[in-house]
C-alpha cells in the first residue's frame, strides 16, 4: 500500500480528497453504520478525485470503521458528487516506472478492502460517479443511487485509458459482458456518453434507485433491511459461454471500427474484459495494474491528458478573448435564412438564450418551413420529457418568421446562414444594417469567406464578427469566433458571451481563409484526392490514415461535408494559396455529375466504389502506397499548421489541437494533431522542430 510520504512526493500539488468516518445509528440495527464521507473540501464545481494522497485517507477511514465494530460500512460523497475518478493532473509529471506502478496498484489496494470486507459494505452514490469513483462503488457489496445523478460513466477509453482500478473485472461479472461492453467501450467511444440513473439501475450497476430529497436516510434504511436479511438484491447468472463470446466479438468490432487499433487503452480494455471471464481478482487486478503502469508512461496517454486539459481548461478561458464586461446584452436574435442550418441555429438560440428568435428568407414557404422545423423539434423534446409542456409552449411562442428584415429592428444579435457566396452575404448585411440599431451585432456563419470583406461597405463594420458553427450544430461543441480587421472588442466580447450561453467552446481565430478546421481538413483531403488522381486505388488512399484512428476516413468525410461544399472550400483555398491547395478536376466532374459519395454498400454491408464514380474519375498511372499517402498527408498538415501559427491565425498550437478535437471530432489520444506529428517525427522532418515543448503531451525525460 502506498504510504502518505510516497503519496505526497508523487503528487505534491494534489487537491486532496479526505475520507471521514462517523458512526450513524439506524433503526432496526443493534450496531451503528460506519459512514465514510469522501470530500475534497470544495463545492460541486470541483468534484472529488483520487490522487495518491486521496487514496491514503479512505484506507485510514476504513481502518477506523472496522475498529468500531459496525453493522455495516457505507461510503458516500459530498453534495451532488460521489467521486469522479483518478486525479489525472499529476500524471503529467510521472516519468519513473516504479512510481507509475505504485499509482496503478494503489487504487486496487484500497478499493479491494471494501470488496473483501467481512462486514457488509455499501456505496451510497449520491451524485456524479465516474471512472475510479464508479470503481469504488462497484467494489462495495451493495449500491444505492440518487435519481438526480447527472454523471455516471467510465470515461477512460475516451481519454485513451481503460478502467484500471477494478472496473474491467468487476463490471462484466456483475451485469454481464455485453452490458459491460456498452458501458466501458461503446458509451466511452460515443463522446463519453453518460448513463442515466434509470439505465444504471436497469443494467444492474446499482441495486436501488432512491429519491434525492432524503437519499442518505433512505439508503441507510435500505441497507438495514439488507443487513437484517429482509432484502437480498438480485444478481443475474452470468453466461460465460456463447454470450461472452458474442460480447467480445462486439467489443472487437467497436474498437476496430472506432479506433482502427490506434488506441492502446481501448485495445487493452477488450483484452481485460476477456480475461474477466475466467480470472479471479488476484489475476485480474494484477493484469490491470501491469497494463495501467505501462500505459501511464506512454505518449498517447499523455496526449489524451493534454486533450482533456484543452477541453476542460483552455476552452473555458479562450486565448485572446476581450474583457467579458464589454459584452452587450442580447434580448432578441435574428437569423437570416430559414434552411436546415438556419433552423438548427434558431433551435439552439431559443433553447439556450430563451429570447425571441425571428427567421427571415426570400419567400413565405421557406420561412414557414424553417419555423415549423423549430416548432416540431421543440415538440419532440417535450414528447421525450426533456422539457416540460409549459417550457415547450414558451419556447414555441418565442420563434417566429418574417419576409421583412424590419423584424430585426429590435434585435441585438443577427446571424446570417445563407448561401456561401461573398456577394450574397455582403448584400444580406447591407440590407440588415438598414433596419438594426447601431450596436446590434452582425454575425456570419461562413465556413471559409473573409469576414473583413463582408463588412467593408457597411456603416458600422466594427460590429461584424465571424461565428462559425460546425454541423451537426447540436453535437459538435466548437465555435470559431473570427475577428475581422475592423471588429471591435465589444462585438467580440458579445460573441464570446453568446457562445458561452449556447454552451459552446470558442476559439478566437484571425480572419484568414477557411479559418482553422476547414483549412486543415481541406489541405489534408486535398492530398488524399491528389493521390487518387495520380492513380492510387480509392481503397488504398481512403484507408491510409487508419493508423491515426480518426472518426471517419477522408472519402467518408467528403460525403459528410458534401462534395459541393468541399469543392467550394477547395477553390477558395486555391485562390488564396495556389502553391499548396489544388483543386481536383475529378472532384469537379464528381460534383457536376451530382454524385454525393464515392462508396456504395451492398445488402451484406460490403463497401465498393460506385461504378459511375469509377467511370468518371480519370486516374493517372503513378499510384502510391498507403504509407506514402499517409506520409504525404501528415507532412502537409505539419506544414500548414506551422504556416498558420506563423500567420497568427490562432495564438498557439494548443488552439489548433482544440479546434480539431471539438470541431472535427479528432480523438483525444492524438492530442488533436500536433502531439502526434511531434512523436511521429513529422514536425521535425518538415519544420525542423516540434510544435510542443518536451514533456507537453509526452512523457518527460526521467
Amino acid at each position: 500500500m502506498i504510504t502518505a510520504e510516497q503519496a505526497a512526493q508523487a503528487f505534491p500539488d494534489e487537491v486532496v480528497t479526505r475520507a471521514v468516518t462517523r458512526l450513524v445509528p439506524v433503526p432496526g440495527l443493534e450496531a451503528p453504520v460506519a459512514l465514510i464521507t469522501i470530500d475534497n473540501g470544495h463545492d460541486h464545481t470541483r468534484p472529488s478525485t483520487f490522487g495518491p494522497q486521496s487514496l491514503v485517507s479512505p484506507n485510514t477511514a476504513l481502518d477506523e470503521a472496522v475498529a468500531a465494530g459496525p453493522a455495516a460500512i457505507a461510503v458516500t460523497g459530498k453534495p451532488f458528487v460521489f467521486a469522479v475518478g483518478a486525479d489525472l493532473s499529476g500524471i503529467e509529471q510521472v516519468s519513473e516506472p516504479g512510481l507509475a506502478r505504485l499509482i496503478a496498484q494503489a487504487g486496487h489496494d484500497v478499493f479491494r478492502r471494501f470488496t473483501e470486507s467481512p462486514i457488509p459494505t455499501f456505496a451510497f452514490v449520491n451524485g456524479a460517479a465516474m471512472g475510479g469513483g464508479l470503481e469504488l462503488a462497484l467494489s462495495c457489496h451493495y449500491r444505492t443511487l440518487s435519481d438526480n445523478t447527472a454523471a455516471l460513466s467510465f470515461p477512460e477509453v475516451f481519454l485513451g485509458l481503460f478502467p484500471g482500478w477494478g472496473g474491467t473485472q468487476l463490471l462484466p461479472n456483475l451485469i454481464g459482458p455485453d452490458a459491460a461492453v456498452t458501458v466501458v467501450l461503446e458509451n466511452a467511444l460515443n463522446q463519453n456518453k453518460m448513463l442515466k440513473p434509470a439505465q444504471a439501475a436497469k443494467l444492474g450497476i446499482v441495486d436501488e434507485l432512491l429519491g434525492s430529497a432524503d437519499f442518505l436516510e433512505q439508503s441507510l434504511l435500505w441497507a438495514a433491511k439488507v443487513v437484517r436479511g429482509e432484502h437480498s438484491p438480485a444478481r443475474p447468472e452470468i453466461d460465460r459461454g456463447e454470450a461472452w463470446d458474442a460480447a467480445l466479438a462486439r467489443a472487437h468490432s467497436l474498437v476496430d471500427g472506432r479506433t482502427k487499433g490506434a488506441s492502446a487503452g481501448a485495445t487493452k480494455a477488450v483484452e481485460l474484459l476477456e480475461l474477466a471471464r475466467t480470472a479471479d481478482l488476484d489475476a485480474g487486478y494484477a493484469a490491470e495494474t501491469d497494463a495501467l503502469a505501462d500505459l501511464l508512461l506512454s505518449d498517447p496517454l499523455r496526449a489524451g491528458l493534454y486533450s482533456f486539459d484543452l477541453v476542460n481548461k483552455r476552452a473555458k478561458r479562450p486565448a485572446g478573448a476581450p474583457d467579458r464586461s464589454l459584452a452587450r446584452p442580447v434580448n432578441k436574435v435574428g437569423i437570416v435564412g430559414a434552411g436546415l442550418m438556419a433552423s438548427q441555429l434558431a433551435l439552439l438560440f431559443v433553447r439556450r438564450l430563451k429570447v425571441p428568435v425571428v427567421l427571415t428568407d426570400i419567400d413565405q414557404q421557406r420561412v414557414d418551413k424553417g419555423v415549423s422545423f423549430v416548432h416540431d423539434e421543440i415538440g419532440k423534446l417535450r414528447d421525450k420529457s426533456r422539457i416540460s409542456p409549459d417550457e415547450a409552449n414558451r419556447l414555441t411562442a418565442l420563434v417566429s418568421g418574417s419576409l421583412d428584415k424590419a423584424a430585426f429592428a429590435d434585435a441585438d444579435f443577427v446571424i446570417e446562414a445563407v448561401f456561401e457566396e461573398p456577394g450574397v452575404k455582403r448584400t444580406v448585411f447591407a440590407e440588415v444594417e438598414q433596419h438594426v440599431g447601431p450596436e446590434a451585432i452582425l454575425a456570419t456563419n461562413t465556413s471559409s469567406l473573409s469576414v473583413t470583406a463582408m463588412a467593408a461597405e457597411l456603416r458600422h463594420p466594427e460590429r461584424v464578427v465571424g461565428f462559425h458553427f460546425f454541423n451537426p450544430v447540436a453535437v459538435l461543441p466548437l465555435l470559431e469566433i473570427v475577428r475581422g480587421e475592423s471588429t471591435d472588442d465589444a462585438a467580440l466580447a458579445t460573441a464570446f458571451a453568446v457562445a458561452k450561453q449556447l454552451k459552446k467552446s470558442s476559439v478566437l481565430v484571425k480572419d484568414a481563409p477557411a479559418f482553422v478546421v476547414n483549412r486543415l481538413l481541406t489541405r489534408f483531403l486535398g492530398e488524399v484526392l491528389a493521390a487518387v488522381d495520380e492513380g492510387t486505388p480509392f481503397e488504398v488512399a481512403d484507408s491510409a490514415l487508419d493508423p491515426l484512428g480518426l472518426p471517419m476516413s477522408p472519402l467518408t468525410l467528403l460525403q459528410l461535408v458534401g462534395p459541393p461544399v468541399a469543392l467550394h472550400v477547395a477553390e477558395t483555398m486555391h485562390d488564396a494559396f495556389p502553391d499548396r491547395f489544388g483543386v481536383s478536376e475529378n472532384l469537379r466532374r464528381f460534383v457536376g455529375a451530382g454524385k454525393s459519395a464515392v462508396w456504395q454498400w451492398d445488402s451484406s454491408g460490403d463497401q465498393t466504389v460506385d461504378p459511375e464514380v469509377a467511370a468518371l474519375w480519370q486516374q493517372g498511372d503513378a499510384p502510391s502506397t498507403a504509407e506514402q499517402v499517409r506520409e504525404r498527408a501528415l507532412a502537409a498538415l505539419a506544414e500548414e499548421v506551422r504556416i498558420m501559427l506563423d500567420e497568427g491565425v490562432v495564438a498557439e498550437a494548443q488552439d489548433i489541437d482544440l479546434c480539431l478535437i471539438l470541431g472535427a471530432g479528432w480523438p483525444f489520444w492524438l492530442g488533436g494533431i500536433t502531439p502526434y506529428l511531434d512523436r511521429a517525427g513529422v514536425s521535425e522532418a518538415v519544420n525542423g522542430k516540434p510544435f510542443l515543448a518536451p514533456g507537453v503531451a509526452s512523457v518527460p525525460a526521467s
Side-chain angles (χ1 to χ4, degrees):
M1 178 62 201
I2 191 169
T3 66
E5 183 179 358
Q6 289 172 320
Q9 290 175 349
F11 285 18
D13 299 324
E14 179 184 346
V15 175
V16 180
T17 297
R18 305 292 180 189
V20 177
T21 302
R22 63 189 174 102
L23 299 179
V24 181
V26 179
L29 293 179
E30 294 182 3
V33 171
L35 182 65
I36 300 171
T37 302
I38 46 181
D39 188 343
N40 66 358
H42 295 260
D43 66 15
H44 67 279
T45 61
R46 181 70 184 261
S48 302
T49 54
F50 294 119
Q53 296 180 73
S54 301
L55 288 169
V56 172
S57 187
N59 196 53
T60 303
L62 189 55
D63 287 339
E64 296 171 356
V66 171
I73 298 169
V75 59
T76 193
K78 67 184 183 181
F80 309 111
V81 177
F82 183 72
V84 297
D87 181 354
L88 301 175
S89 61
I91 295 293
E92 296 170 359
Q93 306 307 317
V94 176
S95 59
E96 294 295 334
L99 180 56
R101 172 164 288 277
L102 202 61
I103 293 168
Q105 181 67 43
H108 285 133
D109 288 342
V110 176
F111 295 173
R112 189 169 180 176
R113 293 188 63 197
F114 287 86
T115 305
E116 298 183 340
S117 167
I119 302 170
T121 57
F122 294 80
F124 298 159
V125 183
N126 62 305
M130 298 168 64
L134 186 52
E135 286 171 305
L136 171 58
L138 290 172
S139 297
C140 294
H141 301 148
Y142 308 100
R143 287 156 292 282
T144 62
L145 176 65
S146 175
D147 65 3
N148 70 342
T149 297
L152 197 68
S153 73
F154 275 132
E156 285 89 344
V157 170
F158 179 67
L159 299 173
L161 263 168
F162 59 86
W165 284 344
T168 67
Q169 304 304 294
L170 295 172
L171 190 65
N173 284 298
L174 176 69
I175 66 174
D178 191 67
V181 166
T182 297
V183 176
V184 172
L185 292 168
E186 185 174 12
N187 287 358
L189 291 171
N190 188 17
Q191 296 297 307
N192 190 25
K193 181 180 179 182
M194 297 288 165
L195 287 168
K196 293 181 172 62
Q199 291 175 313
K202 184 177 180 180
L203 288 172
I205 295 174
V206 297
D207 300 307
E208 193 74 13
L209 195 60
L210 298 171
S212 60
D214 55 353
F215 173 74
L216 183 57
E217 293 83 354
Q218 290 300 315
S219 292
L220 287 165
L221 293 173
W222 182 85
K225 290 181 182 179
V226 174
V227 172
R228 291 196 305 266
E230 296 173 9
H231 178 67
S232 180
R235 295 283 191 266
E237 184 177 346
I238 305 300
D239 183 343
R240 301 181 186 281
E242 292 182 3
W244 210 294
D245 290 336
L248 289 174
R250 189 165 78 90
H252 283 292
S253 178
L254 275 168
V255 170
D256 291 346
R258 299 286 182 88
T259 76
K260 303 295 191 298
S263 169
T267 300
K268 184 56 68 174
V270 178
E271 293 176 12
L272 290 165
L273 288 170
E274 183 170 6
L275 179 66
R277 176 172 11 194
T278 56
D280 60 15
L281 286 190
D282 285 339
Y285 282 11
E288 281 188 343
T289 296
D290 289 344
L292 187 55
D294 289 342
L295 202 56
L296 289 177
L297 294 178
S298 71
D299 284 342
L301 174 62
R302 301 307 172 93
L305 299 180
Y306 163 85
S307 299
F308 183 81
D309 279 348
L310 292 181
V311 170
N312 288 283
K313 295 179 182 178
R314 192 177 184 89
K316 291 177 171 56
R317 297 184 293 274
D323 189 328
R324 65 184 66 181
S325 67
L326 297 173
R328 297 168 183 153
V330 173
N331 296 310
K332 181 177 178 179
V333 173
I335 299 178
V336 185
L340 180 58
M341 174 59 83
S343 300
Q344 290 182 70
L345 295 181
L347 179 65
L348 180 66
F349 275 98
V350 76
R351 283 199 69 197
R352 300 299 188 210
L353 272 62
K354 294 179 171 52
V355 300
V357 176
V358 58
L359 298 97
T360 67
D361 214 314
I362 57 176
D363 62 56
Q364 193 64 47
Q365 183 178 2
R366 297 187 192 201
V367 171
D368 291 344
K369 183 177 179 181
V371 173
S372 294
F373 172 88
V374 181
H375 288 175
D376 289 347
E377 291 300 310
I378 292 171
K380 292 175 184 176
L381 293 170
R382 177 201 59 221
D383 294 343
K384 294 177 181 177
S385 299
R386 293 180 61 185
I387 58 175
S388 69
D390 285 347
E391 184 177 1
N393 290 337
R394 287 193 297 271
L395 295 180
T396 298
L398 288 171
V399 181
S400 62
S402 176
L403 288 174
D404 189 351
K405 293 184 178 62
F408 297 152
D410 55 345
D412 305 298
F413 190 96
V414 179
I415 183 168
E416 67 77 21
V418 299
F419 184 65
E420 191 77 348
E421 201 281 319
V424 173
K425 293 182 184 287
R426 283 196 299 270
T427 299
V428 162
F429 275 154
E431 293 173 355
V432 170
E433 192 175 45
Q434 296 175 21
H435 300 285
V436 297
E439 292 193 340
I441 305 301
L442 302 185
T444 171
N445 186 44
T446 182
S447 60
S448 62
L449 302 176
S450 170
V451 175
T452 301
M454 285 182 217
E457 298 174 11
L458 299 178
R459 294 192 302 275
H460 294 285
E462 71 280 358
R463 44 120 164 254
V464 179
V465 62
F467 209 65
H468 179 220
F469 290 87
F470 290 80
N471 209 8
V473 170
V475 176
L476 291 174
L478 181 66
L479 254 176
E480 290 178 334
I481 294 183
V482 186
R483 183 170 203 157
E485 290 180 6
S486 300
T487 306
D488 65 17
D489 282 351
L492 209 59
T494 305
F496 276 102
V498 170
K500 185 174 182 179
Q501 287 181 277
L502 295 175
K503 298 186 178 180
K504 296 295 184 181
S505 297
S506 304
V507 173
L508 179 61
V509 181
K510 179 182 177 181
D511 187 17
F515 316 129
V516 177
V517 176
N518 284 344
R519 177 166 172 175
L520 289 172
L521 292 183
T522 300
R523 181 77 197 273
F524 160 83
L525 182 59
E527 297 298 330
V528 174
L529 290 179
V532 175
D533 290 347
E534 292 162 5
T536 304
F538 287 96
E539 297 86 350
V540 173
D542 201 34
S543 63
L545 279 298
D546 282 359
L548 277 71
L550 298 178
M552 64 189 72
S553 69
L555 296 182
T556 304
L557 174 66
L558 175 65
Q559 180 179 350
L560 178 70
V561 169
V565 173
L567 176 61
H568 168 75
V569 177
E571 290 173 338
T572 299
M573 297 309 298
H574 178 70
D575 290 343
F577 309 114
D579 56 325
R580 301 194 309 279
F581 289 83
V583 180
S584 167
E585 290 302 321
N586 282 314
L587 180 59
R588 282 200 173 106
R589 280 190 286 273
F590 183 78
V591 172
K595 304 301 294 184
S596 61
V598 169
W599 301 114
Q600 62 179 16
W601 289 266
D602 61 24
S603 57
S604 62
D606 291 334
Q607 174 182 290
T608 56
V609 177
D610 182 338
E612 293 181 10
V613 173
L616 68 82
W617 210 286
Q618 299 176 14
Q619 291 187 276
D621 57 3
S624 298
T625 65
E627 183 178 1
Q628 289 170 331
V629 175
R630 182 166 59 255
E631 290 175 352
R632 172 179 184 166
L634 292 175
L637 282 173
E639 180 187 36
E640 201 62 31
V641 170
R642 173 51 56 197
I643 291 170
M644 291 166 70
L645 293 173
D646 291 344
E647 291 176 350
V649 174
V650 292
E652 294 181 296
Q654 285 86 341
D655 296 308
I656 298 276
D657 294 325
L658 184 60
C659 284
L660 289 172
I661 292 165
L662 297 180
W666 284 24
F668 272 38
W669 59 77
L670 286 184
I673 192 59
T674 66
Y676 182 86
L677 295 173
D678 283 356
R679 72 174 181 258
V682 180
S683 308
E684 189 79 36
V686 173
N687 302 315
K689 60 181 180 179
F691 289 106
L692 303 171
V696 176
S698 60
V699 178
S702 41

